Amino acid sequence: MMHYCKINKVGYLLLVCLVFFSITGSYAQSLTIQGKVTETDGGVLPGVTVLLKGTSVRTATNNEGSFSLQTPDGTGTLAVSYIGYETLEIPINKRPMINVTLQPSSEALDEIVVVGYGTQRKQDVTGSISTIKADDIRTQGSNSIQKSLQGRVAGVQVESAGGNPGSGVRILIRGTGSLNNNNPLYIVDGIQVDNINNLNPSDVASMDILKDASAAAIYGSRASNGVVLVTTKTGKKGVTKIDFDSYYGVQKIAKKVDVLNATEWATVSNAAYAAAGLTPLDIAKNPSSLGTGTDWQKELYESAPMQSYNLAASGGGDNYTFSMSGGYLDQQGVVKKTDYNRWNFRMKSDFTKGRLKLGESIILSKEYFRTMAGGWGGQGGNPVGSAVKMIPVFNVYDSSAIGGFGGAYGPVTNVANPMAQLNLEIPENRSTNVLLNLFAEVSLFEGLKYKFNLGYTNTFGYNYNYTYPYVVGTLFTNVDADLSESRNQSDYFLQEHTLNYEKAFGKSRIQALGGFTYQNSKYRVLSGSKSGMPEDIKVIDAGILNTAAGSNATENALISYLGRLVYSFDDRYVLTGTIRRDGSSRFGSSNRYGNFPSFAAAWNISNEDFFKPLQGIVSSLKLRGSYGILGNQEISDYRYISSITSNANYVIGQNQQLWSGSIQTAFETADIKWESSKTFDIGTDWSFFKNKASLTVDYFNRKNTDILLQVPIPLSTGASTNPPYLNAGQITNKGIEAALAYSNLDHPLTYQFSASMTAVNNRVDFLGTGTQQIFGGSPTHAGASATVTQAGLPVGAFYLIKSDGIFNSEEEINGYAKNGQLIQPSAKPGDMRFDDFNNDGKIDQNDRQNVGSPTPKFSYGFGGNASYRNFDVSVYFQGSYGNKIYNGLRQDIEGMNININYAKSTLGAWTPSNHTDFPRAVINDPNLNSQTSDRFLENGSYLRFKTLQFGYTIPKRVLDAAKIGSCRVYVSFDNLLTITGYKGYNPDLGRTGSVLDRGVDFGHVAYPLARTALFGLQLSL
């Protein structure tokens, strides 16, 4: 027994020794690894899982993104994973310090899509939705996020509103569907706004464009032109992140109009007078003595600086997130004296306590515009138009004249000195914009949430226009100083109550939404003006002449009930039903309410068992279709009732006694109702090669019925200037849109490519009585209209007299006759021949015919970006094909019929010894060579090299000492090159008026685009 105990004691001692040496040996070989996990932009990631692969040894990063993990022997592989990011595996190789940068998962970025009143899984989306992320918006050189969309979104045509500082754009989603307002509905953080020009592009996290009825029907009567949902940036849980973005650049005019110098102008003018048998102008009698004269465009334009500064902070904790930012933009114009600046502030946060979540979004902006003067009553137009038309023999300045500027004199056309216009008239506009959104969300029980959303927007505008006394030449005189001021205010109030239920059971999943909304809009304007203020006293009270004042106010309201049900089975089949019922104060009691339903289905084919063998190539494939009805109520308030204007005073009787009276200025049309848009869409969504490539293709048929049309009434009614609205038209847009993208995020070389294309066929099916014609687009001060809207043609089709070459001899003129009568009896050799389309033996406005459409056959955009180590490059192109443009400026400066400056091309005009295809110079133009005709209709197709950007990210090891997260510098170039046959300033026309004017280049009120070069800095702490 004793022996047994001794042996056991020895064994026990041996065992203890072995365990001791084993443990000490293990500790001697173990390694503690430390590090930090960050995003690609340098932001830290808390809560990231760090796992020693093949073991249960794991940890998570703290709020600073740091981690510490003990390994047995310093070997093995770390697996670093986080929701929404690609999992990264890193060999340890006995390194004590390992820092990790995680890349966002392309699948995770795309799996949630913002829709009306919520979000959906991408695979459950049945509608046509395009999403633009913050990284996709290349805003360098653009002062608004709308401009950065140009060419990037399939189905969306973005047309410039000109190059003036602070200018907006015209956005058409799937064609022109109305003769009234075609603007999409803009929703920013849940609140409707009139436009998004005033937003800071750096504040935008994403933009979702809802294009078909399934996607947009939840917005009912306001959605027929599509919906643009803008979501601003939110904070993330973790340490506070500070970002600073800035750029400074220079703009130069991209293109000038080639016009004559003083000697050349006098030569052409003398030829025109000689052809008419008239004595030349005194100022043109000795061309060789005039030299080059004044280059008015050189006087007008300058290189203009542009600068932007943005500072943002974001972060959050377990129960809250926040994001706030402030920004300043200053954009001088390439036209002297023009300017735009904008201040922005944004605050967004949310807080969670148990079942309750509270949040707010506050967006403030303040804008200032110094615009150009309008026309001074002459035929030059604004300063841009005047700079082209002003005769170069006149001088810019005249110290003896009131105001100090020279001008035209003698028997010439009344074109103003553009520099006088810029300096003697001060038009300024200011706008202060407030957007407030407050919400409270309560989780009632599992899957069911109630949300109360309260919104308010306020826009306060102030317009100021002061004109100095002046005498500019002999044609423009303003004896007294003039001042006009106006103030306007818009208030928009919204309250929404919604219930959202989401539940998965078995293979089924449902998402249900029900809600009630009320919105109210008010607008008020106050204006006043006077003349005769003493010098440099610029207040209305100082005026003594021409007193005028006015005020007006409008109000409208909309009440709505909405519902949506999404049912998916086994992640393969999805059904969506949506309905909204709207009641609007803009319509009478019999048609005040409208119902807007939609139905859609989708089939995730790639989730079928039979598809699995293809998933190595085709990662996902969805087929979807939808049909629904949307509405448009965008007309003025009170149009369904009659209106009477008071203070219509008149005299009567032998004593000519003054009586006060009233007159009816609008007639009642109580039966008008919403415009309806019936939309059918079928589309497919593809992804390939593990989601590296994607392709989306849609076909749509959008039929807008009950078009609200103003029907002409007799002048004798007294209300002809404000004719009543009737539902009397139908417009159809059919088209195909496609978007392609490819990305490779494998290091060290990463690259992405994207392209989009939109083809739309626009047609008016019927209008009014069936034969009604609506004319528009008068391209010059005195010219006839250039477009028509009528059944069988596109909206705003070009409707012009056709030209048919040049008469080169009297024999050709005499041979162009009908029944022995000359069709163009005023013609001479060198004049234009026009087509007698109606064959009545004369040329007049009845010979107009359809000669083209302002709508492109297709528009497109393509580009990409790439990075290698610390260097990156981005390029983008966009353009359109197949549309026509009427060049109104050419009609003026190639006419040679009035006394203005002419285009350089007039040097090649027809002469008896030089037969060309350019008509002869002749003052007063008896043959009407310069009349509105297809002579000035041009091909509007173009390809623009829109953006080129080079960037360099400073290595992190250089920044660590300064505790800077990331720093990138870049140079960016915008509007580098436009390839086009169009002879005007810009084929992407700079005007956003009526759709009936689309495609008509009003050169006398233009503002040319600029090329921009920028240097920028992006810094994160």
Side-chain angles (χ1 to χ4, degrees):
M1 187 71 176
M2 291 294 295
H3 181 66
Y4 176 78
C5 290
K6 287 181 179 179
I7 292 176
N8 278 277
K9 287 180 180 180
V10 173
Y12 177 78
L13 289 173
L14 289 173
L15 179 62
V16 169
C17 289
L18 287 171
V19 171
F20 174 79
F21 286 117
S22 174
I23 293 173
T24 56
S26 296
Y27 272 100
Q29 297 177 16
S30 67
L31 177 68
T32 299
I33 301 170
Q34 294 181 328
K36 179 177 285 189
V37 181
T38 59
E39 300 178 85
T40 54
D41 63 359
V44 299
L45 289 172
V48 177
T49 299
V50 183
L51 171 70
L52 181 61
K53 192 175 180 181
T55 73
S56 60
V57 178
R58 69 175 62 213
T59 188
T61 58
N62 60 19
N63 284 340
E64 286 75 39
S66 300
F67 70 90
S68 178
L69 183 72
Q70 191 174 68
T71 63
D73 57 3
T75 63
T77 300
L78 292 182
V80 185
S81 61
Y82 192 59
I83 296 174
Y85 292 80
E86 301 283 356
T87 298
L88 195 61
E89 296 186 356
I90 305 170
I92 298 174
N93 295 331
K94 297 186 178 181
R95 290 179 293 168
M97 178 66 69
I98 298 177
N99 291 322
V100 181
T101 300
L102 292 184
Q103 297 283 344
S105 166
S106 58
E107 294 183 33
L109 284 174
D110 291 337
E111 65 183 10
I112 298 298
V113 177
V114 176
V115 296
Y117 301 97
T119 60
Q120 287 183 356
R121 298 187 307 167
K122 187 175 182 180
Q123 63 183 353
D124 291 341
V125 172
T126 55
S128 180
I129 301 176
S130 293
T131 298
I132 301 294
K133 299 293 185 181
D135 291 341
D136 300 324
I137 301 176
R138 298 289 178 179
T139 58
Q140 288 75 20
S142 297
N143 54 28
S144 75
I145 56 177
Q146 293 168 301
K147 288 184 178 180
S148 62
L149 293 179
Q150 196 168 36
R152 294 184 178 272
V153 183
V156 179
Q157 293 171 289
V158 181
E159 299 174 352
S160 168
N164 48 303
S167 63
V169 296
R170 185 207 301 268
I171 292 183
L172 295 174
I173 297 179
R174 293 185 166 180
T176 303
S178 174
L179 302 182
N180 300 294
N181 190 329
N182 282 273
N183 296 332
L185 172 67
Y186 295 105
I187 304 291
V188 178
D189 286 346
I191 305 300
Q192 177 182 341
V193 296
D194 291 336
N195 63 71
I196 53 177
N197 286 337
N198 62 306
L199 291 184
N200 184 349
S202 297
D203 289 339
V204 176
S206 66
M207 298 178 66
D208 295 89
I209 296 93
L210 315 183
K211 297 180 288 187
D212 73 336
S214 174
I218 199 68
Y219 290 103
S221 65
R222 301 169 293 161
S224 69
N225 298 322
V227 183
V228 178
L229 302 177
V230 179
T231 304
T232 62
K233 293 178 180 178
T234 58
K236 296 180 181 179
K237 178 182 176 181
V239 296
T240 299
K241 179 182 176 183
I242 297 177
D243 297 306
F244 175 73
D245 298 339
S246 177
Y247 62 76
Y248 181 88
V250 177
Q251 308 158 92
K252 290 188 175 181
I253 186 172
K255 181 179 181 179
K256 294 180 181 179
V257 175
D258 206 4
V259 294
L260 303 177
N261 63 31
T263 296
E264 293 168 337
W265 170 82
T267 301
V268 174
S269 175
N270 289 342
Y273 270 80
L278 300 174
T279 302
L281 294 171
D282 289 339
I283 57 175
K285 285 183 176 178
N286 191 2
S288 61
S289 67
L290 298 176
T292 58
T294 302
D295 186 339
W296 291 102
Q297 292 183 89
K298 184 178 180 180
E299 296 289 337
L300 184 73
Y301 298 113
E302 64 181 357
S303 297
M306 180 178 182
Q307 55 188 319
S308 174
Y309 307 93
N310 296 286
L311 181 64
S314 62
D318 292 335
N319 299 312
Y320 72 95
T321 64
F322 75 92
S323 175
M324 62 185 300
S325 65
Y328 174 72
L329 168 73
D330 182 80
Q331 182 186 11
Q332 304 291 318
V334 293
V335 175
K336 294 176 181 178
K337 298 293 183 179
T338 58
D339 182 22
Y340 171 76
N341 63 63
R342 182 183 68 222
W343 294 88
N344 289 90
F345 174 79
R346 181 185 60 89
M347 177 68 192
K348 188 176 184 180
S349 65
D350 61 73
F351 307 86
T352 302
K353 179 68 174 178
R355 296 186 175 187
L356 178 64
K357 183 177 182 180
L358 302 175
E360 98 292 328
S361 180
I362 302 171
I363 300 175
L364 309 177
S365 68
K366 186 175 182 179
E367 298 176 281
Y368 168 82
F369 302 80
R370 168 68 188 268
T371 60
M372 287 190 295
W376 276 6
Q379 296 192 46
N382 69 12
V384 168
S386 295
V388 174
K389 299 178 188 179
M390 187 66 172
I391 296 172
V393 301
F394 299 124
N395 295 322
V396 178
Y397 302 103
D398 181 356
S399 58
S400 65
I402 298 175
F405 287 88
Y409 52 84
V412 298
T413 305
N414 53 347
V415 175
N417 177 340
M419 300 308 295
Q421 290 177 288
L422 284 181
N423 288 276
L424 298 177
E425 183 175 345
I426 305 173
E428 296 178 325
N429 302 318
R430 292 173 171 84
S431 178
T432 303
N433 306 279
V434 177
L435 185 150
L436 303 176
N437 174 230
L438 306 173
F439 74 86
E441 186 177 80
V442 181
S443 297
L444 300 176
F445 54 83
E446 184 180 357
L448 181 64
K449 294 181 180 179
Y450 163 74
K451 185 175 183 180
F452 172 63
N453 194 54
L454 191 64
Y456 173 74
T457 66
N458 173 274
T459 300
F460 179 80
Y462 170 61
N463 303 316
Y464 170 94
N465 193 298
Y466 178 82
T467 305
Y468 289 92
Y470 60 76
V471 174
V472 178
T474 59
L475 304 177
F476 295 92
T477 301
N478 186 54
V479 177
D480 301 298
D482 304 317
L483 176 62
S484 65
E485 297 182 72
S486 67
R487 287 171 169 79
N488 61 81
Q489 181 168 324
S490 298
D491 291 282
Y492 171 79
F493 172 78
L494 169 74
Q495 63 167 310
E496 296 174 331
H497 305 267
T498 55
L499 284 170
N500 203 317
Y501 180 70
E502 190 168 358
K503 179 70 174 179
F505 48 94
K507 294 184 177 182
S508 297
R509 176 189 293 268
I510 63 170
Q511 186 182 49
L513 169 73
F516 163 80
T517 76
Y518 169 78
Q519 64 185 58
N520 178 272
S521 299
K522 295 180 180 179
Y523 174 80
R524 190 171 190 90
V525 61
L526 175 67
S527 62
S529 64
K530 273 188 181 181
S531 300
M533 283 73 66
E535 185 176 356
D536 291 329
I537 300 181
K538 301 172 184 177
V539 294
I540 286 180
D541 274 356
I544 58 174
L545 301 169
N546 305 323
T547 302
S551 176
N552 207 341
T554 61
E555 181 178 1
N556 67 76
L558 186 74
I559 188 171
S560 308
Y561 308 89
L562 56 97
R564 179 175 60 215
L565 179 64
V566 181
Y567 172 75
S568 66
F569 177 76
D570 198 23
D571 290 336
R572 291 182 292 165
Y573 315 112
V574 186
L575 298 176
T576 301
T578 305
I579 188 166
R580 180 164 178 141
R581 179 172 173 81
D582 284 335
S584 172
S585 65
R586 286 180 169 166
F587 302 100
S589 57
S590 59
N591 288 304
R592 181 150 293 166
Y593 284 87
N595 298 315
F596 304 97
S598 76
F599 178 79
W603 178 22
N604 288 298
I605 302 173
S606 53
N607 290 343
E608 298 285 358
D609 291 338
F610 66 78
F611 199 85
K612 290 181 179 178
L614 300 175
Q615 287 185 338
I617 299 175
V618 182
S619 308
S620 65
L621 171 59
K622 180 197 289 186
L623 176 67
R624 49 185 167 74
S626 68
Y627 177 80
I629 301 174
L630 304 173
N632 185 4
Q633 63 148 357
E634 296 305 315
I635 60 173
S636 303
D637 296 327
Y638 317 125
R639 294 314 304 262
Y640 69 94
I641 58 176
S642 60
S643 63
I644 296 175
T645 298
S646 58
N647 295 322
N649 301 325
Y650 62 99
V651 293
I652 192 171
Q654 293 181 349
N655 297 329
Q656 294 293 287
Q657 182 177 353
L658 180 66
W659 292 73
S660 61
S662 300
I663 187 172
Q664 186 166 353
T665 54
F667 289 95
E668 177 182 358
T669 51
D671 293 332
I672 60 172
K673 58 183 179 180
W674 326 83
E675 295 181 354
S676 294
S677 175
K678 300 177 176 66
T679 302
F680 168 76
D681 182 280
I682 186 167
T684 59
D685 302 315
W686 303 70
S687 66
F688 306 91
F689 315 120
K690 296 183 179 180
N691 296 311
K692 286 187 175 181
S694 64
L695 172 66
T696 297
V697 180
D698 279 83
Y699 167 80
F700 60 88
N701 187 324
R702 175 188 173 202
K703 194 178 295 291
N704 288 60
T705 60
D706 295 322
I707 298 297
L708 286 162
L709 171 68
Q710 286 188 283
V711 179
I713 57 177
L715 292 173
S716 59
T717 63
S720 60
T721 59
N722 195 17
Y725 277 95
L726 294 177
N727 294 102
Q730 179 173 295
I731 300 172
T732 297
N733 289 277
K734 298 179 182 179
I736 295 175
E737 60 189 39
L740 174 68
Y742 181 83
S743 62
N744 187 340
L745 302 179
D746 297 333
H747 287 287
L749 174 65
T750 68
Y751 54 91
Q752 295 175 304
F753 170 82
S754 65
S756 67
M757 184 277 295
T758 303
V760 180
N761 179 270
N762 175 264
R763 174 188 170 93
V764 178
D765 298 320
F766 61 85
L767 198 64
T769 60
T771 60
Q772 183 173 351
Q773 295 178 307
I774 303 176
F775 297 103
S778 297
T780 65
H781 284 280
S785 62
T787 72
V788 70
T789 300
Q790 68 178 43
L793 299 179
V795 173
F798 289 108
Y799 196 61
L800 301 166
I801 298 171
K802 288 191 71 174
S803 57
D804 190 21
I806 301 286
F807 291 117
N808 286 302
S809 65
E810 290 287 353
E811 289 76 16
E812 291 182 6
I813 296 171
N814 295 332
Y816 192 42
K818 181 178 177 62
N819 299 327
Q821 299 294 320
L822 295 183
I823 293 176
Q824 293 181 232
S826 300
K828 299 293 182 183
D831 282 336
M832 297 291 302
R833 170 179 170 143
F834 296 105
D835 181 21
D836 181 18
F837 182 64
N838 67 350
N839 200 31
D840 66 353
K842 60 182 179 181
I843 303 299
D844 57 22
Q845 293 300 300
N846 295 318
D847 290 308
R848 290 179 293 178
Q849 55 185 294
N850 175 36
V851 291
S853 172
T855 300
K857 292 181 179 178
F858 63 86
S859 55
Y860 58 92
F862 61 92
N865 55 74
S867 64
Y868 180 75
R869 300 188 185 278
N870 295 77
F871 296 92
D872 62 85
V873 61
S874 175
V875 296
Y876 208 82
F877 298 82
Q878 59 88 207
S880 70
Y881 173 79
N883 59 300
K884 298 290 188 180
I885 299 176
Y886 191 94
N887 193 332
L889 189 59
R890 264 189 61 215
Q891 184 174 356
D892 280 330
I893 62 176
E894 289 188 357
M896 300 175 290
N897 60 317
I898 57 177
N899 292 306
I900 61 175
N901 199 9
Y902 307 128
K904 191 76 79 172
S905 55
T906 59
L907 294 173
W910 188 99
T911 65
S913 61
N914 182 30
H915 291 191
T916 69
D917 60 357
F918 199 102
R920 67 182 179 129
V922 54
I923 206 70
N924 298 329
D925 193 12
N927 188 58
L928 302 182
N929 296 322
S930 60
Q931 68 180 315
T932 302
S933 71
D934 75 338
R935 173 187 168 189
F936 307 106
L937 190 67
E938 301 183 31
N939 185 347
S941 303
Y942 72 95
L943 169 63
R944 173 170 295 146
F945 191 173
K946 188 172 178 62
T947 302
L948 172 63
Q949 187 179 122
F950 298 99
Y952 178 73
T953 301
I954 298 175
K956 188 168 180 55
R957 64 178 181 275
V958 178
L959 303 175
D960 284 343
K963 297 184 179 180
I964 296 175
S966 66
C967 181
R968 176 178 178 263
V969 294
Y970 65 88
V971 290
S972 181
F973 307 93
D974 291 273
N975 297 326
L976 282 87
L977 174 68
T978 301
I979 301 173
T980 182
Y982 182 62
K983 299 175 183 178
Y985 286 115
N986 172 33
D988 174 27
L989 292 188
R991 189 175 174 91
T992 56
S994 167
V995 293
L996 305 180
D997 299 339
R998 189 182 180 203
V1000 178
D1001 191 348
F1002 300 86
H1004 55 287
V1005 291
Y1007 195 119
L1009 284 182
R1011 291 193 182 101
T1012 305
L1014 301 171
F1015 174 79
L1017 170 70
Q1018 297 171 336
L1019 185 69
S1020 294
L1021 301 178

